[in-house]
Amino acid sequence: MPRVGFFTDTSVCIGCKACEVACKEWNAVPTKGALELTGESFDNTSELSADSWRHVAFIEQQVQTPSENGPQEGVRWLMSSDVCKHCTHSACLDVCPTGSLFRTEFGTVVVQQDICNGCGYCVSACPYGVIAQREDDGRVFKCTMCYDRLKVGSEPACAQACPTQSIQFGDLDELRERAQTRVEELHAAGQDKARLYGESPDDGVGGAGAFFLLLDEPEVYGLPPDPIVTTRDLGAMWRRVGAAGAALLAGVAAAYLSDRG
Ligand code: SF4
Ligand code: SF4
């Protein structure tokens, strides 16, 4: 089965939050606090959390805009709908001790709440700060890429609700080709800073299953510029621990034998 994913083209996001609403409605995600303003611009969600599996960031920037009298100070809004990256190398999945997190037949990463024990190891392992615990019992929640909908051949609720096709769902390889064409169009139109984020299989997480076209540096959107799977060195660490343990045992044995001799 081909791997599926999201290409989020932030250049056409209008900040309507239809994706956030559709996600909450389809997945019965609690709405507690969802209608309160944070005081941080028009953003009332603030960040991805156990109760916000999509988050539309609003970023206000001072920019120079052309006018008859030369460049003038102006303002532009960058909007971007963030989500779990469904990483190729998923640290959350690597550290889960119960098998609650698993890789689906679609290449996505899903949590099974009924066997999550609330240990929270995955929370500190995620290089994007995506997965989070609920306050009541500590179990973790995040985007499932609407696993139940994929299984019956439907697209995820957020992608279906997006009125501008900023959120595009489909075969990951096809999405990567589409994204490359789009970024070239934007460069030709003078958007020099347009770039793809998370699309490369050579990046620190082996490529994201949910990648983005951004109009500025990733940090501007609150995204890490060079994410690396946090379990990358785990194998080497255990090998060193094993070697140190073996050396210690050999030393103890040698001391014991020399005492007896
Ligand atoms: S973004 Fe975080 S929670 Fe999502 S698959 Fe990657 S490591 Fe796991
Ligand atoms: S894919 Fe489904 S679970 Fe994930 S953000 Fe979209 S609506 Fe929510």
Side-chain angles (χ1 to χ4, degrees), residues 9-27:
D9 179 353
T10 70
S11 70
V12 293
C13 178
I14 55 171
C16 68
K17 292 175 177 268
C19 53
E20 287 191 18
V21 175
C23 178
K24 280 190 180 286
E25 192 170 330
W26 180 262
N27 295 293

mmCIF file of all heavy atoms in Angstrom, residues 9-27:
data_model
loop_
_atom_site.group_PDB
_atom_site.id
_atom_site.type_symbol
_atom_site.label_atom_id
_atom_site.label_comp_id
_atom_site.label_asym_id
_atom_site.label_seq_id
_atom_site.Cartn_x
_atom_site.Cartn_y
_atom_site.Cartn_z
ATOM 1 N N ASP A 9 0.164 23.632 1.983
ATOM 2 C CA ASP A 9 0.687 24.784 1.242
ATOM 3 C C ASP A 9 0.239 26.041 1.989
ATOM 4 O O ASP A 9 -0.889 26.509 1.821
ATOM 5 C CB ASP A 9 0.117 24.746 -0.186
ATOM 6 C CG ASP A 9 0.587 25.927 -1.022
ATOM 7 O OD1 ASP A 9 1.232 26.839 -0.473
ATOM 8 O OD2 ASP A 9 0.281 25.931 -2.236
ATOM 9 N N THR A 10 1.130 26.596 2.809
ATOM 10 C CA THR A 10 0.713 27.721 3.662
ATOM 11 C C THR A 10 0.474 28.992 2.844
ATOM 12 O O THR A 10 -0.129 29.925 3.341
ATOM 13 C CB THR A 10 1.748 28.010 4.766
ATOM 14 O OG1 THR A 10 2.931 28.554 4.166
ATOM 15 C CG2 THR A 10 2.093 26.766 5.559
ATOM 16 N N SER A 11 0.945 29.012 1.583
ATOM 17 C CA SER A 11 0.780 30.235 0.787
ATOM 18 C C SER A 11 -0.685 30.494 0.437
ATOM 19 O O SER A 11 -1.043 31.601 0.042
ATOM 20 C CB SER A 11 1.607 30.161 -0.502
ATOM 21 O OG SER A 11 1.063 29.203 -1.390
ATOM 22 N N VAL A 12 -1.553 29.463 0.574
ATOM 23 C CA VAL A 12 -2.973 29.679 0.267
ATOM 24 C C VAL A 12 -3.864 29.511 1.503
ATOM 25 O O VAL A 12 -5.089 29.511 1.384
ATOM 26 C CB VAL A 12 -3.461 28.762 -0.876
ATOM 27 C CG1 VAL A 12 -2.798 29.146 -2.186
ATOM 28 C CG2 VAL A 12 -3.222 27.293 -0.573
ATOM 29 N N CYS A 13 -3.246 29.395 2.685
ATOM 30 C CA CYS A 13 -4.045 29.295 3.923
ATOM 31 C C CYS A 13 -4.651 30.667 4.233
ATOM 32 O O CYS A 13 -3.950 31.678 4.191
ATOM 33 C CB CYS A 13 -3.156 28.836 5.083
ATOM 34 S SG CYS A 13 -4.023 28.749 6.664
ATOM 35 N N ILE A 14 -5.954 30.692 4.542
ATOM 36 C CA ILE A 14 -6.618 31.967 4.857
ATOM 37 C C ILE A 14 -6.942 32.074 6.341
ATOM 38 O O ILE A 14 -7.629 32.992 6.771
ATOM 39 C CB ILE A 14 -7.904 32.163 4.015
ATOM 40 C CG1 ILE A 14 -8.858 30.966 4.197
ATOM 41 C CG2 ILE A 14 -7.573 32.380 2.557
ATOM 42 C CD1 ILE A 14 -10.236 31.154 3.583
ATOM 43 N N GLY A 15 -6.492 31.102 7.144
ATOM 44 C CA GLY A 15 -6.682 31.186 8.596
ATOM 45 C C GLY A 15 -8.115 31.002 9.047
ATOM 46 O O GLY A 15 -8.498 31.484 10.116
ATOM 47 N N CYS A 16 -8.915 30.276 8.264
ATOM 48 C CA CYS A 16 -10.343 30.144 8.610
ATOM 49 C C CYS A 16 -10.572 29.166 9.754
ATOM 50 O O CYS A 16 -11.628 29.172 10.373
ATOM 51 C CB CYS A 16 -11.133 29.706 7.389
ATOM 52 S SG CYS A 16 -10.743 28.023 6.854
ATOM 53 N N LYS A 17 -9.603 28.280 10.010
ATOM 54 C CA LYS A 17 -9.672 27.278 11.084
ATOM 55 C C LYS A 17 -10.717 26.179 10.837
ATOM 56 O O LYS A 17 -11.096 25.474 11.773
ATOM 57 C CB LYS A 17 -9.946 27.934 12.449
ATOM 58 C CG LYS A 17 -8.789 28.778 12.951
ATOM 59 C CD LYS A 17 -9.192 29.469 14.228
ATOM 60 C CE LYS A 17 -8.070 30.272 14.810
ATOM 61 N NZ LYS A 17 -7.295 29.511 15.765
ATOM 62 N N ALA A 18 -11.163 26.063 9.603
ATOM 63 C CA ALA A 18 -12.099 24.969 9.304
ATOM 64 C C ALA A 18 -11.465 23.625 9.642
ATOM 65 O O ALA A 18 -12.146 22.689 10.087
ATOM 66 C CB ALA A 18 -12.497 25.017 7.827
ATOM 67 N N CYS A 19 -10.139 23.507 9.440
ATOM 68 C CA CYS A 19 -9.445 22.242 9.739
ATOM 69 C C CYS A 19 -9.503 21.924 11.228
ATOM 70 O O CYS A 19 -9.733 20.773 11.624
ATOM 71 C CB CYS A 19 -7.997 22.310 9.255
ATOM 72 S SG CYS A 19 -7.086 23.755 9.859
ATOM 73 N N GLU A 20 -9.297 22.951 12.067
ATOM 74 C CA GLU A 20 -9.330 22.728 13.516
ATOM 75 C C GLU A 20 -10.713 22.243 13.943
ATOM 76 O O GLU A 20 -10.854 21.314 14.742
ATOM 77 C CB GLU A 20 -9.001 24.018 14.283
ATOM 78 C CG GLU A 20 -7.539 24.416 14.214
ATOM 79 C CD GLU A 20 -7.210 25.530 15.207
ATOM 80 O OE1 GLU A 20 -7.994 25.760 16.152
ATOM 81 O OE2 GLU A 20 -6.162 26.173 15.046
ATOM 82 N N VAL A 21 -11.743 22.904 13.402
ATOM 83 C CA VAL A 21 -13.121 22.566 13.783
ATOM 84 C C VAL A 21 -13.479 21.161 13.305
ATOM 85 O O VAL A 21 -14.040 20.344 14.047
ATOM 86 C CB VAL A 21 -14.111 23.612 13.206
ATOM 87 C CG1 VAL A 21 -15.542 23.207 13.483
ATOM 88 C CG2 VAL A 21 -13.815 24.990 13.774
ATOM 89 N N ALA A 22 -13.112 20.861 12.040
ATOM 90 C CA ALA A 22 -13.441 19.540 11.474
ATOM 91 C C ALA A 22 -12.761 18.437 12.278
ATOM 92 O O ALA A 22 -13.342 17.376 12.526
ATOM 93 C CB ALA A 22 -13.009 19.479 10.020
ATOM 94 N N CYS A 23 -11.526 18.682 12.678
ATOM 95 C CA CYS A 23 -10.784 17.682 13.462
ATOM 96 C C CYS A 23 -11.477 17.427 14.793
ATOM 97 O O CYS A 23 -11.687 16.282 15.196
ATOM 98 C CB CYS A 23 -9.354 18.160 13.681
ATOM 99 S SG CYS A 23 -8.394 17.011 14.672
ATOM 100 N N LYS A 24 -11.838 18.503 15.465
ATOM 101 C CA LYS A 24 -12.507 18.345 16.769
ATOM 102 C C LYS A 24 -13.828 17.614 16.610
ATOM 103 O O LYS A 24 -14.160 16.730 17.404
ATOM 104 C CB LYS A 24 -12.736 19.721 17.419
ATOM 105 C CG LYS A 24 -11.492 20.268 18.103
ATOM 106 C CD LYS A 24 -11.813 21.492 18.929
ATOM 107 C CE LYS A 24 -10.578 22.043 19.619
ATOM 108 N NZ LYS A 24 -10.148 21.226 20.754
ATOM 109 N N GLU A 25 -14.571 17.983 15.580
ATOM 110 C CA GLU A 25 -15.891 17.389 15.408
ATOM 111 C C GLU A 25 -15.782 15.901 15.064
ATOM 112 O O GLU A 25 -16.423 15.064 15.690
ATOM 113 C CB GLU A 25 -16.640 18.143 14.306
ATOM 114 C CG GLU A 25 -18.100 17.771 14.263
ATOM 115 C CD GLU A 25 -18.884 18.676 13.340
ATOM 116 O OE1 GLU A 25 -18.505 19.842 13.187
ATOM 117 O OE2 GLU A 25 -19.866 18.189 12.777
ATOM 118 N N TRP A 26 -14.932 15.566 14.082
ATOM 119 C CA TRP A 26 -14.869 14.166 13.650
ATOM 120 C C TRP A 26 -14.308 13.275 14.766
ATOM 121 O O TRP A 26 -14.783 12.171 15.001
ATOM 122 C CB TRP A 26 -14.019 14.023 12.378
ATOM 123 C CG TRP A 26 -13.968 12.595 11.952
ATOM 124 C CD1 TRP A 26 -12.977 11.693 12.201
ATOM 125 C CD2 TRP A 26 -15.001 11.869 11.285
ATOM 126 N NE1 TRP A 26 -13.314 10.458 11.716
ATOM 127 C CE2 TRP A 26 -14.558 10.530 11.145
ATOM 128 C CE3 TRP A 26 -16.254 12.216 10.773
ATOM 129 C CZ2 TRP A 26 -15.325 9.544 10.526
ATOM 130 C CZ3 TRP A 26 -17.014 11.227 10.152
ATOM 131 C CH2 TRP A 26 -16.549 9.915 10.043
ATOM 132 N N ASN A 27 -13.272 13.773 15.450
ATOM 133 C CA ASN A 27 -12.577 12.928 16.427
ATOM 134 C C ASN A 27 -13.077 13.117 17.860
ATOM 135 O O ASN A 27 -12.483 12.562 18.792
ATOM 136 C CB ASN A 27 -11.074 13.204 16.366
ATOM 137 C CG ASN A 27 -10.493 12.798 15.026
ATOM 138 O OD1 ASN A 27 -10.449 11.626 14.696
ATOM 139 N ND2 ASN A 27 -10.082 13.785 14.229
#
